[in-house]
Amino acid sequence: MTAKEHSVSQVDRWFSVQTRSDPRITAGIVALAATSLLIGGAFAGLLAEGAHDFSGAWAAFDPYLFRVVRFTLWQAALSTLLSVGPALLVARALSRHPRFPGRAFILQLFAVPLALPAIVAALGILALYGRAGYFAGLSNWVGGQGWPGIYGLSGILVAHVFFNLPLATRLFLEALQTIPSDQWRLASQLGMGARPALRLIEWPTLRAALPGAAGLVFMLCITSFTIVLTLGGGPAGTTLEVGIYQALRFDFDPARAVALTLLQIALTFVVVLALTRLGANVAGDANLSVAPRRYLLVNRTEAVLNALLIGLALLFVVGPMAATVAAGLGADLGRLAGEATVRQATLTSAVLAFLSALLSVMLSLALTMARRALALNRRSGSRTLLEHATDTGAGFVLVVPPIVIGAGWFLLLRHLGDVFAVAPLMVVTVNAVMAMPFALRAVRPAYDAASERHERLCAQLGISGWSRLWLVDWPSLRRPLATAFAFAMALSLGDLGVIALFGSDSVQTLPYLLLARMGSYRTQDAAGLALLLGLVCLALVLAADRLGKGMARDV
C-alpha cells in the first residue's frame, strides 16, 4: 500500500467513526422524539378518554355518527370529481398553447389559492355567492326571485373547487410537460390531429397522473375543517373534523369526540397509504418548468374552445379573490386598525407564527442532517429503522390532521388544569409539525447537495457540530431555510384548526377573531380582517416562491 492509499484509508476510517458519533444524528433523534411526543400525547389523550368512558365511546357509534361519515365521504368525492374533471381540460388547453400573452400570469394566479387561508377564501366566496353577495344583487336586478345563498353542500363544493381546481390543473400541466419533445415532433411529421394526439400522446400521461392527483384532492377535502365550519350551514353539513370541534367546544361530549377522531384517523390513514402507493405528491405543490416547444398546429375551433375553458377557469378562481379585496376595501380599515382587540390579535398571530416557523425549520433541518449522516454511515444496502424514521417520519403527520392532535391534547390536558392557558404552546407546536413536510421539500435537496460537496473536506479538517453548520453549511442553506421559514409562517398565520379548540378571549389570533366577527354578523369587520390576513399570507408565500426560484438558479 502506497503512502497516498494509506492516507486515504485513514481518512475513510476516521470519517466512518465521526459519522457514527455525529451530532447531526443526535439532533435528528431529538427532533423525532419531539414529533413523537406531540403525536403520541394526542393518542394518549384519546386512548385514556376512551378507556375512561368506553361504553360512552362505543355508544357514540350511532346513526348520527355514520351520517357524518357518509357526508364526509360524499362531499369529498363530489369535490374531487368537480375539481379534477375540469382540471384535465384546463391543463390540456394550457399545454396546447404554451406561449400566449398572459400565460405565466394565469399560472401565477392559479397558485394564489394555495397561499390564501381557508377562512379568507370562505369569506370571499360568501361575498360573491352569499345571500348578500354580488350574485344576489345581480339576480335581483335581472328580476330573479331571490338568490338562495351558498351555505351547505353547495358552498363546501364551490370552496373546495376554488382551492383544488388550480392545484389539480398545475399537477396535470406538470405531467404533460414531461412528454418528450420527440413524440410531438414525430406526431407533427405524421400529420397527427388533435384527437389522435389526445388519445395516443396526452391521455396516457394524464391517465398515469390522474390517480395521484385525485387522491391528493380527496385527502384535502376529507381533512377540510375551516371550509366546512364556515360554509357547512348546520348539522346537515357536518364532517368528521367539524364534528370533533363541536363535540368538544359546544356539546362537551368527549366520548363522541373520541369516536369521531378514531374514524378520522382511519380515513386519513387509508387515503395517505393509497397516495403513497400511487406515488402522489402529498405536499401538494407543483413546480412548473419552462413550457416546452410544441410541434402540432391548433386549428381555430380548438383554439376558441381552449380560450373559453381557460377564461372560465380564470373567472372562477379570480372571482372570490376580487370579492375579498372589494369587500375588504369597503370596511372601515382605519377603525379596525385602531381597535385594541385587532392589534392584540395581529401581534399574537405574528409572534405565534414566527415561533412556529422557527421551530418547524429547526426540526426539518435536524431531520435532514440526521438522514444524510445515517445514509453516509450505512455500510449495507438496507436502511436502519432510525434512518427510515428520519426520512419518512415527518410525513406521518399527514395522517393526523391538526384538529385531531388538538382534540387529543384537549382531552389529556383538561384533567391537569386550564386547557386554554396552553393555547400558545399548542398553536406553535402543532403548526410547526404540520409545516414540516413542506419545509423538508425546501431544505433537503440543498443540504444533500452541500453535503455531497463538503462532507469529506469537513471530515479531513475535523469540522463538525455548530462550527460546521455556521461555517460550511449556512451559506448553502440560507436561501432554502428562508423559503421554508416564509412558507411555514404563512401556513401558521392562516391556520384555524388548533386555535379553534384552544382559543379564548385572552388568546386570539387573526383567523380566530375573523371567525368570531363572522359569527356575530359583523361582516364588514370580518372582510377587513380577511383582506389584511390574506395579503400578509400571500406576501409570505410569494416571497417563499421567489426565494425558491432564486435557489434553483443558484444550483
Side-chain angles (χ1 to χ4, degrees):
M1 180 182 294
T2 65
K4 182 178 181 180
E5 290 173 341
H6 180 70
S7 176
V8 171
S9 177
Q10 284 183 328
V11 170
D12 287 339
R13 284 197 300 270
W14 187 92
F15 174 71
S16 178
V17 172
Q18 288 297 313
T19 306
R20 285 194 210 97
S21 59
D22 200 317
R24 294 176 295 179
I25 299 177
T26 304
I29 293 174
V30 172
L32 278 176
T35 307
S36 301
L37 177 62
L38 182 67
I39 299 176
F43 278 101
L46 294 171
L47 293 175
E49 189 64 39
H52 175 71
D53 190 8
F54 179 79
S55 59
W58 181 255
F61 286 88
D62 55 11
Y64 168 78
L65 186 143
F66 289 108
R67 187 169 71 247
V68 171
V69 173
R70 284 196 303 270
F71 182 80
T72 301
L73 295 174
W74 177 239
Q75 61 84 24
L78 286 178
S79 298
T80 302
L81 181 64
L82 294 174
S83 300
V84 172
L88 286 168
L89 302 176
V90 176
R92 182 180 179 272
L94 288 168
S95 176
R96 297 284 284 173
H97 303 275
R99 287 184 176 86
F100 66 86
R103 183 180 188 273
F105 180 68
I106 290 175
L107 291 178
Q108 289 177 348
L109 284 177
F110 275 18
V112 171
L114 304 177
L116 283 181
I119 193 167
V120 174
L123 195 141
I125 289 170
L126 285 175
L128 186 62
Y129 302 110
R131 286 178 184 156
Y134 297 107
F135 264 72
L138 180 63
S139 175
N140 294 331
W141 181 75
V142 299
Q145 307 223 347
W147 185 255
I150 201 170
Y151 282 107
L153 179 61
S154 59
I156 294 171
L157 295 179
V158 169
H160 282 166
V161 175
F162 168 77
F163 278 109
N164 297 316
L165 171 63
L167 171 62
T169 298
R170 290 169 64 88
L171 291 174
F172 288 133
L173 187 57
E174 183 184 26
L176 287 171
Q177 289 180 356
T178 63
I179 299 176
S181 297
D182 293 343
Q183 293 188 16
W184 293 111
R185 188 182 296 110
L186 179 60
S188 177
Q189 293 171 351
L190 295 175
M192 188 177 293
R195 289 186 179 180
L198 171 62
R199 186 177 73 256
L200 300 176
I201 299 178
E202 293 169 316
W203 175 242
T205 301
L206 291 172
R207 184 177 57 192
L210 180 59
L216 176 60
V217 172
F218 189 78
M219 184 194 72
L220 292 174
C221 295
I222 277 183
T223 57
S224 177
F225 170 71
T226 305
I227 292 298
V228 182
L229 180 65
T230 53
L231 298 175
T238 298
T239 58
L240 285 169
E241 293 206 1
V242 174
I244 295 168
Y245 167 74
Q246 292 173 344
L248 291 177
R249 287 302 300 259
F250 294 104
D251 304 330
F252 198 73
D253 189 351
R256 183 173 295 279
V258 169
L260 290 165
T261 304
L262 293 177
L263 285 174
Q264 179 67 51
I265 293 173
L267 279 178
T268 52
F269 178 79
V270 170
V271 174
V272 170
L273 182 63
L275 280 173
T276 304
R277 290 188 174 273
L278 292 170
N281 176 13
V282 294
D285 60 344
N287 300 315
L288 299 176
S289 58
V290 176
R293 182 180 174 186
R294 289 288 181 261
Y295 297 90
L296 291 182
L297 295 177
V298 180
N299 59 47
R300 183 179 297 274
T301 302
E302 185 186 0
V304 171
L305 291 176
N306 289 339
L308 183 62
L309 279 171
I310 296 171
L312 289 175
L314 185 61
L315 284 175
F316 182 80
V317 172
V318 170
M321 294 189 288
T324 301
V325 174
L329 293 177
D332 190 348
L333 298 178
R335 178 181 58 79
L336 281 176
E339 287 188 17
T341 305
V342 174
R343 292 201 303 268
Q344 183 61 41
T346 303
L347 179 61
T348 301
S349 292
V351 171
L352 296 183
F354 179 87
L355 294 175
S356 177
L358 183 62
L359 180 59
S360 181
V361 168
M362 291 172 60
L363 293 174
S364 301
L365 180 59
L367 289 178
T368 298
M369 294 190 301
R371 169 184 169 273
R372 178 64 178 171
L374 290 167
L376 292 171
N377 192 39
R378 191 197 321 149
R379 295 190 176 185
S380 61
S382 59
R383 296 193 301 176
T384 63
L385 179 61
L386 181 58
E387 183 182 352
H388 184 75
T390 57
D391 189 19
T392 61
F396 183 72
V397 302
L398 297 173
V399 183
V400 191
I403 192 69
V404 170
I405 297 179
W409 279 98
F410 189 96
L411 294 171
L412 183 64
L413 295 173
R414 73 187 185 94
H415 299 292
L416 305 177
D418 185 8
V419 172
F420 303 105
V422 297
L425 178 62
M426 293 307 305
V427 171
V428 168
T429 53
V430 175
N431 287 342
V433 171
M434 289 300 154
M436 282 172 58
F438 304 93
L440 282 169
R441 291 182 63 84
V443 175
R444 181 179 292 177
Y447 184 83
D448 288 349
S451 175
E452 190 71 27
R453 294 192 301 266
H454 304 138
E455 196 70 43
R456 189 169 295 276
L457 178 62
C458 290
Q460 291 174 338
L461 297 178
I463 303 176
S464 62
W466 288 107
S467 299
R468 169 179 173 158
L469 179 61
W470 180 250
L471 298 175
V472 180
D473 295 329
W474 176 248
S476 301
L477 292 176
R478 247 181 338 195
R479 191 180 290 271
L481 285 175
T483 302
F485 183 89
F487 200 81
M489 190 169 179
L491 288 177
S492 182
L493 270 175
D495 180 71
L496 184 63
V498 181
I499 195 63
L501 280 177
F502 290 90
S504 62
D505 291 338
S506 58
V507 181
Q508 298 187 74
T509 61
L510 276 177
Y512 187 87
L513 183 61
L514 201 163
L515 182 65
R517 296 290 171 93
M518 290 177 65
S520 59
Y521 299 102
R522 299 170 66 178
T523 54
Q524 287 295 320
D525 287 358
L529 293 174
L531 180 61
L532 171 63
L533 181 60
L535 289 177
V536 172
C537 291
L538 181 61
L540 286 170
V541 172
L542 290 179
D545 182 65
R546 184 176 295 274
L547 288 168
K549 290 179 179 177
M551 180 177 62
R553 288 195 299 267
D554 294 341
V555 174

